[in-house]
Amino acid sequence: MTDSPSRSGAFESAVDKRVEQFTESISFDARLFREDIAGSIAHANMLADQQLVSPAERDQIVQCLTEIGQELENGQFPLRMELEDIHMNIEQALIDRLGDVGRKLHTGRSRNDQVSTDMRLWIRDSIDRMDELLAGLQTSFVRLAQQDGDVVIPAYTHMQRAQPILAAHYFLAYCEKLERDRQRLQDCRQRVNQSSLGTAAVAGTSLDIDRDQTAGQLGFDGLLQNSLDSSSDRDYMIEFVFCLALVSVHLSSWAEDWILWSTTEFNLIEIPQEFCTGSSIMPQKINPDVLELTRGKAARVIGDLQTLFVLVKALPMAYNRDLQEDKPALFDAFDTVEACLTLAIPLVEGSRLKRESIRAGLDRGFLDATTLMEFFIKRGIPQRTAHHAVGQLVRQAMQQNCRLADLSLEDFQAFDPSLDRSIYDVLGIENAISKFRSTGSTCPEQVSRQLARWCERLELN
Ligand code: ARG
């Protein structure tokens, strides 16, 4: 009794319907159809070159696979759960249409290398898509830096006001983080883009296949060299999902910032209303739900990474059916990050800083205290002494409810009688920010150099 191509003559009974449902993967691997068709066409071409099928048989197979691919593309191909997965659905259709010629396609190949090949092709494309989206978000941050980058905002450490920065400095910080995300994905791509096709079930094959030939057709950079390794490991998937998890962590902390920034208490930013939602009971509410969900969805992606780690932990060599469970986690991670980025790009580009409200609050928090301390250091006062003295001046200003710049020259001279009015050149936000000159810091010259660098990198004007 052979009720599916994978059920050989060894079986005496048909499969239990409940088992069929339990073991199917077509409900989530159908999206691999393009990769499966491409892999099968490459395999058929190789079989013909190696005289394992005739050129005429190859032509029939390729033609038929192309038709099946078209039907799948148009949603005209009925997917059958009892055939388990996308690989068997396509192969069975080939057999139904070509008879014995169709039965030759699986020569020298197993679903174990087939699945892994399809996944590698799928991830390779997904890395390229991710790169495009990440570059898109970098571009949005650059655009916002060009628009509102001149605004001075408070930088926070420990969520307490720390030092003044240019808003552009903040936006470009995300360009840097996203750039490393892109680099990590490119690095991962090198290991993903290796062919497992032809490693077959576990030990290879006795047939005279040519793995370099299929790898070349499919655009792989090289071959996995050990059939046991190739059919058993999912490290490339974990790496990819790790890269995605890091993207989602970057997005979540950006989202957290902007959720805070858009509160009445901070009042630093206006998020486009198309990206906000309301409340069913409080008519005044304009909520930053997209940002909140971006923050929340990072949990899912981190969970997907966890799923993959636990899935492969302590699996015996080599292929085990557990590995089928890799796909839902991987697809979910990609879909989630893709959805977040797709919204983040226009959200960032359409947001505007609230210049007046920011300006009005800037004199709170003694953002110029560090530059004052460094002014003393430049006069030869040891850092710890200067640190203590400025702390005392801050306390004095707090008591008088004024800025450091509002203290009298006598107040400063109480600490150092040789001080003159040049001390006021480092006080006040505008003065202070221009003093942060070290490489990578926030003074206008440094930031405009960085902005120019990003425009060049992203080919923007
Ligand atoms: N549906 C399976 C998966 O997605 C295909 C591989 C099955 N291989 C096997 N030897 N049963 O992983």
Side-chain angles (χ1 to χ4, degrees):
M1 188 172 296
T2 54
D3 51 345
S4 112
S6 72
R7 243 170 137 72
S8 75
F11 286 89
E12 286 181 10
S13 68
V15 70
D16 187 308
K17 274 282 159 207
R18 292 165 298 185
V19 171
E20 219 167 68
Q21 265 204 9
F22 186 72
T23 56
E24 66 86 25
S25 57
I26 187 66
S27 55
F28 50 82
D29 67 17
R31 65 193 290 177
L32 291 171
F33 78 86
R34 290 186 196 88
E35 289 74 17
D36 201 65
I37 297 277
S40 288
I41 289 178
H43 185 68
N45 285 331
M46 181 278 291
L47 291 178
D49 289 358
Q50 298 301 104
Q51 277 123 47
L52 290 161
V53 301
S54 73
E57 289 170 332
R58 184 256 331 267
D59 291 347
Q60 271 183 282
I61 291 172
V62 170
Q63 163 80 27
C64 190
L65 284 169
T66 309
E67 282 164 19
I68 293 170
Q70 268 311 319
E71 290 162 28
L72 278 155
E73 204 72 67
N74 303 335
Q76 293 160 342
F77 186 92
L79 295 167
R80 289 163 55 192
M81 196 259 286
E82 67 275 19
L83 293 173
E84 183 182 315
D85 56 27
I86 188 64
H87 323 289
M88 303 280 260
N89 266 273
I90 291 173
E91 192 190 344
Q92 187 59 53
L94 195 74
I95 293 169
D96 291 345
R97 297 174 197 195
L98 300 181
D100 275 349
V101 175
R103 288 191 183 90
K104 294 189 178 184
L105 174 65
H106 212 52
T107 304
R109 165 179 101 165
S110 144
R111 264 183 307 156
N112 297 351
D113 57 339
Q114 192 180 352
V115 170
S116 189
T117 302
D118 291 358
M119 286 305 287
R120 285 171 181 278
L121 291 173
W122 192 90
I123 294 171
R124 186 178 72 188
D125 277 358
S126 303
I127 288 175
D128 296 345
R129 167 85 181 125
M130 241 332 113
D131 189 64
E132 217 174 274
L133 287 166
L134 289 167
L137 186 54
Q138 286 178 312
T139 301
S140 292
F141 276 116
V142 168
R143 293 298 182 213
L144 189 53
Q146 288 171 328
Q147 164 80 32
D148 280 349
D150 59 308
V151 177
V152 179
I153 59 172
Y156 296 82
T157 64
H158 312 268
M159 276 312 286
Q160 303 291 322
R161 289 186 164 222
Q163 291 170 338
I165 53 168
L166 284 177
H169 198 51
Y170 174 92
F171 300 140
L172 296 182
Y174 276 98
C175 287
E176 300 285 347
K177 293 175 198 297
L178 299 170
E179 185 70 10
R180 288 192 299 277
D181 290 335
R182 292 176 67 185
Q183 289 167 358
R184 259 184 292 275
L185 283 161
Q186 287 311 313
D187 186 56
C188 166
R189 195 183 191 283
Q190 298 175 44
R191 282 174 293 281
V192 165
N193 201 29
Q194 300 291 323
S195 180
S196 45
L197 194 55
T199 58
V202 60
T205 170
S206 63
L207 298 168
D208 183 25
I209 60 167
D210 183 349
R211 293 188 57 213
D212 289 306
Q213 208 267 26
T214 45
Q217 285 188 71
L218 294 168
F220 284 117
D221 294 329
L223 298 183
L224 286 154
Q225 297 292 334
N226 183 306
S227 61
L228 265 177
D229 168 48
S230 144
S231 55
S232 62
D233 216 327
R234 293 295 183 261
D235 53 358
Y236 63 100
M237 294 192 190
I238 295 178
E239 234 184 298
F240 175 55
V241 175
F242 169 76
C243 294
L244 294 174
L246 221 38
V247 172
S248 74
V249 164
H250 282 150
L251 292 180
S252 76
S253 65
W254 156 71
E256 165 67 4
D257 270 353
W258 284 26
I259 290 165
L260 284 173
W261 288 15
S262 62
T263 59
T264 310
E265 287 69 18
F266 276 76
N267 207 21
L268 302 184
I269 203 164
E270 179 102 47
I271 291 155
Q273 291 202 352
E274 304 91 285
F275 294 88
C276 298
T277 55
S279 150
S280 53
I281 181 167
M282 297 168 284
Q284 85 282 17
K285 294 300 291 292
I286 300 178
N287 294 328
D289 298 41
V290 171
L291 291 171
E292 293 170 277
L293 282 167
T294 299
R295 183 177 59 186
K297 282 175 191 287
R300 268 172 78 153
V301 183
I302 295 165
D304 292 328
L305 178 61
Q306 177 96 333
T307 298
L308 290 177
F309 266 126
V310 179
L311 183 67
V312 301
K313 177 203 159 291
L315 273 189
M317 280 274 236
Y319 180 86
N320 296 275
R321 189 61 181 272
D322 313 45
L323 293 177
Q324 179 170 294
E325 291 289 322
D326 56 9
K327 283 162 219 70
L330 185 133
F331 291 145
D332 183 69
F334 176 80
D335 293 343
T336 303
V337 177
E338 185 187 40
C340 290
L341 285 170
T342 302
L343 287 184
I345 292 169
L347 191 157
V348 167
E349 186 145 9
S351 292
R352 291 293 172 265
L353 291 183
K354 293 183 147 180
R355 288 174 179 264
E356 259 145 54
S357 145
I358 293 171
R359 180 58 252 177
L362 220 48
D363 287 331
R364 294 197 307 264
F366 306 101
L367 299 173
D368 48 0
T370 309
T371 29
L372 176 59
M373 178 191 74
E374 291 178 345
F375 172 81
F376 289 147
I377 291 172
K378 284 182 201 159
R379 294 171 61 93
I381 296 168
Q383 192 270 343
R384 282 291 158 224
T385 311
H387 181 264
H388 187 75
V390 174
Q392 284 178 325
L393 289 164
V394 165
R395 187 151 50 130
Q396 202 174 333
M398 281 165 80
Q399 280 158 359
Q400 293 175 26
N401 194 22
C402 69
R403 307 174 304 160
L404 285 169
D406 298 326
L407 293 176
S408 68
L409 184 58
E410 292 72 47
D411 290 329
F412 292 111
Q413 283 173 337
F415 165 63
D416 177 355
S418 71
L419 286 169
D420 57 35
R421 297 204 67 80
S422 68
I423 193 163
Y424 291 102
D425 294 345
V426 298
L427 296 175
I429 300 309
E430 302 299 332
N431 283 331
I433 201 164
S434 66
K435 301 288 185 277
F436 289 90
R437 319 192 60 83
S438 54
T439 305
S441 61
T442 196
C443 72
E445 298 76 28
Q446 286 284 338
V447 172
S448 41
R449 198 173 314 150
Q450 294 299 328
L451 189 53
R453 190 182 125 242
W454 280 109
C455 286
E456 198 181 305
R457 161 85 181 100
L458 297 165
E459 295 172 19
L460 306 171
N461 41 44

